[in-house]
Amino acid sequence: MKNKTSKVALISIMIFMMSTVMAFAEEVDIDQVNADKYGALTLIPPLVAIILAFATKNVVISLAIGIMSGGFILNFAGINIFYTIIHAFLDLVSRAVDSLADPWHAGIILQVLAIGGVINLVSKMGGAKAIAEALSKKAKTAKSAQLITWFAGLLVFFDDYANSLIIGPMMRPVTDKMKISRERLAFIIDATAAPVAGLAIISTWIGLEVGLIGDAFNSIGVNENAFGVFLNTIPFRFYNILILAFIVITSCLLKEFGPMRKCELEARRGGKSLADGNELNKKISQEHDDLEPLEGVVPNIWSAIIPIGTLIVGALIAFYYSGYTTIMAGDNNVSIEIMKNAPFSFEAIREAFSNSDASVALFQSALFAGIVAMIMGASKKMFTISQGIEIWVDGMKTLLITCVILICAWSLSSVIKELGTAKFLINYLSDSIPAFTLPSIIFVLGAIISFATGTSYGTMGILMPLAIPLAYSINPDMSYVIVSTSAVLTGAIFGDHCSPISDTTILSSMGAGCNHIDHVRTQIPYSLFVGAITILFGYIPAGFGLPVYIVLPVALVAVFVGVQIFGKSVDVDTNENIDIEEA
């Protein structure tokens, strides 16, 4: 009996020890272990992705090989290189499947596709064209024509491609009549495409941005609502905001500088644009056909207002409902009491939005908006319900590349996390980088990568998993992390805005009927000017912790003063003999 008791006690002790070891193993920080084990090798996946993106200009291939390089390091088995390559490929497949299987990621993918479907329905029903045509009738002078083009760009906030291809062809006859250069038109279109879509809370961009933010915070074990962080970054998107202000300031003052001024003076004199060639105009027409209304459909502004309004209002309701149900099912008594006592107060709405699932809420609203648009189109005999579904699906196809980039970016984030890349950077950089410089460094790095690669999506996918953990290690205050997060988003958009190989830059040239190289040549000085102010008057002061309500107004004043200093008037008598070379 005693022997039996001893055996039971021994087994109990062994079980306890095993469970203790297993619990300890679970608590081991695998990121830190790998960071110590592999050292500088942990930098290989992001570096490979960046270098290949520079060399190939193909972000999908670059991200995929970057993921495989991380899998190669993790699965390296001595001298058997072939075996390791096979396992690196299998690791890539496994990470892609795991990324798509995650409910949050799946919701992001679905809402991106659903929004693409709504945009295509609105275009085919003539809604987007109707808005642009209505605005173009209001343009009476060079100043008003530019401001209306800017305002139209703000209205087509939901997609940068749609913005470039809708606004340009609609406003081109108006700006030609007002003797505004095609280069200036292309700049306004380009500066209200990616910068506006990146700021909008309902767009084809938000899925990518919110998805990457959420993944980066999850990688460091910080429980933050990704959509809430996204909203908080908006006031710190200095480049986006300042480039929009720059358009208004230069349009109102009618002042330009650099190559753009020569183009504007030439246009005022009535010179022929280099972009009037038949081949370019033919290509513009072909690209614009995808966004033209269906044959026989008369453009109507309500065909845009109702579906897009449904999308926006539906999203707000879905955000509130998602957050409300999450709070009421949780254990935060303070939030529960707020919801019970004053469910529609500002504080309650803020709490609901902060606790909402953005991926599900946006998918719900986009799906509902798509149904409303299909019913509208069918009731007006524009198409049948079956044809409406086909149009909706065709709109999804245009955003498949976004979904592929998202899956690759999530997979790269996964391998970077497992290798401990962020932990390695934190160990070596957190004590050597002055805290106030990090947002500026992130912005510059993002600008360089996106300019060289022509893609903001890929740049965000590469930088976000590194920037948020590094910022959090330097200063865990959430306001500092938010500034650094915004620097990733704006740095990526800087390159997307002015890179000669960016899709939106190319489409803006085409939409305006402008020679592409002339567009790039005239736009880059303006982008660099605003980028410099973004750093000097935006991210450096914000890095020191100055509140945004001080930083942003000062930066806006800096833009105005800079235009006054460097800009020269183009408001000249068109009969005057202008020496373009001296200008």
Side-chain angles (χ1 to χ4, degrees), residues 213-226 229 417 468-469 472-473 476 478 481:
I213 290 169
D215 214 45
F217 275 105
N218 289 337
S219 72
I220 55 175
V222 176
N223 185 22
E224 279 290 330
N225 180 272
V229 173
K417 179 181 185 301
I468 288 179
Y472 189 79
S473 71
M478 194 49 60
V481 179

Side-chain angles (χ1 to χ4, degrees), residues 119 123 128 156 158-168 291 507:
I119 290 167
S123 298
V156 189
F158 42 80
D159 182 68
D160 53 333
Y161 287 8
N163 188 313
S164 299
L165 287 173
I166 291 170
I167 303 303
L291 292 167
L507 291 176

Side-chain angles (χ1 to χ4, degrees), residues 123-152:
S123 298
K124 296 302 181 187
M125 290 162 63
K129 185 173 183 179
I131 289 175
E133 287 179 343
L135 289 172
S136 67
K137 293 175 183 176
K138 303 291 184 183
K140 304 297 182 184
T141 64
K143 183 186 298 185
S144 65
Q146 292 181 72
L147 291 174
I148 285 171
T149 304
W150 174 85
F151 184 65

Side-chain angles (χ1 to χ4, degrees), residues 317-335:
I317 294 171
F319 277 125
Y320 180 85
Y321 178 75
S322 173
Y324 177 86
T325 53
T326 301
I327 289 170
M328 298 308 289
D331 55 4
N332 188 327
N333 293 326
V334 175
S335 297

Side-chain angles (χ1 to χ4, degrees), residues 530-546:
V530 175
I533 290 177
T534 295
I535 294 170
L536 295 174
F537 294 92
Y539 285 120
I540 289 178
F544 275 114
L546 286 178

Side-chain angles (χ1 to χ4, degrees), residues 112-127:
V112 166
L113 294 175
I115 289 176
V118 174
I119 290 167
N120 201 39
L121 283 165
V122 169
S123 298
K124 296 302 181 187
M125 290 162 63

Side-chain angles (χ1 to χ4, degrees), residues 194-439:
V196 171
L199 285 172
I201 63 171
I202 304 290
S203 74
T204 53
W205 285 54
I206 190 172
L208 177 88
E209 295 170 314
V210 172
L212 293 175
I213 290 169
D215 214 45
F217 275 105
N218 289 337
S219 72
I220 55 175
V222 176
N223 185 22
E224 279 290 330
N225 180 272
F227 184 71
V229 173
F230 169 84
L231 291 178
N232 287 329
T233 65
I234 290 176
F236 297 98
R237 310 279 194 90
F238 296 120
Y239 181 80
N240 304 43
I241 297 168
L242 296 179
I243 198 72
L244 293 172
F246 178 83
I247 297 171
V248 174
I249 292 168
T250 51
S251 297
C252 289
L253 297 176
L254 290 176
K255 285 189 173 183
E256 311 284 352
F257 58 84
M260 186 70 80
R261 184 166 189 267
K262 292 184 179 180
C263 292
E264 280 292 273
L265 290 174
E266 174 69 25
R268 294 293 194 278
R269 193 176 63 178
K272 183 177 175 65
S273 171
L274 295 174
D276 288 338
N278 291 330
E279 281 301 313
L280 182 60
N281 286 331
K282 184 177 178 182
K283 190 175 181 184
I284 293 164
S285 298
Q286 290 171 347
E287 290 289 333
H288 188 57
D289 283 345
D290 290 340
L291 292 167
E292 281 291 307
L294 293 170
E295 188 176 348
V297 171
V298 178
N300 188 313
I301 198 168
W302 291 104
S303 295
I305 292 175
I306 292 176
I308 299 299
T310 300
L311 177 60
I312 295 170
V313 174
L316 296 175
I317 294 171
F319 277 125
Y320 180 85
Y321 178 75
S322 173
Y324 177 86
T325 53
T326 301
I327 289 170
M328 298 308 289
D331 55 4
N332 188 327
N333 293 326
V334 175
S335 297
I336 291 172
E337 284 301 313
I338 291 172
M339 288 297 176
K340 285 182 178 178
N341 297 329
F344 299 109
S345 65
F346 176 78
E347 193 173 3
I349 293 171
R350 184 185 63 191
E351 287 292 316
F353 273 56
S354 297
N355 286 277
S356 64
D357 187 333
S359 65
V360 174
L362 283 170
F363 176 55
Q364 289 169 337
S365 58
L367 184 60
F368 183 62
I371 293 170
V372 168
M374 281 186 264
I375 293 172
M376 274 187 67
S379 66
K380 293 184 177 182
K381 310 249 186 263
M382 296 180 185
F383 45 71
T384 64
I385 291 293
S386 296
Q387 291 170 333
I389 292 173
E390 289 178 11
I391 294 169
W392 187 63
V393 171
D394 282 341
M396 290 183 177
K397 291 176 184 177
T398 62
L399 290 173
L400 282 176
I401 186 63
T402 301
C403 298
V404 172
I405 292 173
L406 264 173
I407 293 168
C408 289
W410 286 326
S411 301
L412 180 65
S413 176
S414 168
V415 78
I416 284 174
K417 179 181 185 301
E418 187 173 341
L419 273 173
T421 307
K423 291 290 176 68
F424 174 79
L425 285 173
I426 289 165
N427 292 341
Y428 279 84
L429 298 179
S430 58
D431 294 329
S432 58
I433 293 180
F436 78 92
T437 64
L438 182 63

Side-chain angles (χ1 to χ4, degrees), residues 2-81:
K2 186 184 270 189
N3 191 28
K4 198 171 186 180
T5 304
S6 300
K7 285 182 179 180
V8 171
L10 181 61
I11 291 171
S12 299
I13 291 170
M14 289 177 66
I15 291 173
F16 173 76
M17 291 177 65
M18 288 174 64
S19 62
T20 303
V21 170
M22 289 174 68
F24 175 76
E26 288 177 358
E27 292 176 4
V28 169
D29 190 344
I30 190 67
D31 307 4
Q32 189 62 60
V33 170
N34 283 337
D36 296 336
K37 178 181 178 181
Y38 296 113
L41 293 177
T42 63
L43 297 175
I44 287 178
L47 285 177
V48 165
I50 292 169
I51 292 168
L52 284 178
F54 272 75
T56 67
K57 314 300 181 189
N58 189 310
V59 69
V60 174
I61 291 174
S62 305
L63 287 169
I65 295 177
I67 298 161
M68 281 192 65
S69 68
F72 186 92
I73 294 169
L74 290 168
N75 292 282
F76 185 67
I79 59 172
N80 194 336
I81 303 297

